[in-house]
Amino acid sequence: MNFDRTDRISEEVRREVDRIIREDVRDPRVAGTWSITRADVTRDLRYAKIRVSVLEEEQRKPLVKALKNAAGFIRRELGKNLRLRYTPELLFEEDDNIAYGVHIASILSDVKPESDETNISKDDEA
């Protein structure tokens, strides 16, 4: 499989889009704790799906909407900074993996482990 080039370009796009958003996008909805978790560039370099993770649930939708509004500007800056034949069209979407992980961790912390006596008696039966 020859996906090494696409993987390298995806990582470069992720890094550069992150930098452009942090340094050049002046939309107040972009403030807060967020990160670009992944960029998936198609093999023909026409599209890049950018996954954005936000810790605060109430900021998630406004942030993604702001990034979609700024996609043309971000794409133009990306084209200036990366030397690619085609600058991919940027498709921003929410990445709720961190929020899901926090939810699972809270559920697991509520589950009480069985006492050691119960575990010992189960082992003796086997």
Side-chain angles (χ1 to χ4, degrees):
M1 295 172 80
N2 192 6
F3 294 107
D4 293 336
R5 180 174 181 268
T6 306
D7 292 341
R8 284 193 315 269
I9 291 171
S10 293
E11 182 58 25
E12 285 295 316
V13 166
R14 187 196 65 76
R15 261 190 250 135
E16 190 61 24
V17 166
D18 186 85
R19 188 198 64 73
I20 291 167
I21 294 170
R22 290 188 192 281
E23 295 178 5
D24 299 332
V25 174
R26 300 287 178 236
D27 192 321
R29 297 174 291 181
V30 178
T33 307
W34 57 270
S35 65
I36 304 290
T37 56
R38 185 176 181 134
D40 294 319
V41 178
T42 58
R43 291 185 69 189
D44 63 358
L45 305 179
R46 299 288 183 175
Y47 298 95
K49 188 183 298 184
I50 310 294
R51 309 265 320 201
V52 181
S53 178
V54 183
L55 289 180
E56 298 84 16
E57 177 125 3
E58 63 276 357
Q59 289 182 339
R60 189 172 296 143
K61 293 206 182 296
L63 174 74
V64 172
K65 188 174 180 179
L67 294 176
K68 287 179 180 179
N69 288 342
F73 169 77
I74 297 168
R75 183 180 184 199
R76 185 174 65 244
E77 293 298 311
L78 184 67
K80 289 179 190 176
N81 299 332
L82 295 182
R83 291 184 173 91
L84 297 173
R85 180 173 292 175
Y86 302 108
T87 303
E89 183 176 335
L90 304 176
L91 308 170
F92 290 97
E93 61 182 39
E94 298 176 32
D95 185 0
D96 60 351
N97 288 339
I98 292 176
Y100 182 73
V102 169
H103 174 69
I104 294 299
S106 70
I107 290 172
L108 291 176
S109 68
D110 293 341
V111 175
K112 294 182 179 180
E114 295 180 19
S115 67
D116 290 337
E117 293 175 11
T118 307
N119 289 338
I120 293 172
S121 65
K122 287 182 179 178
D123 291 339
D124 292 339
E125 293 175 6

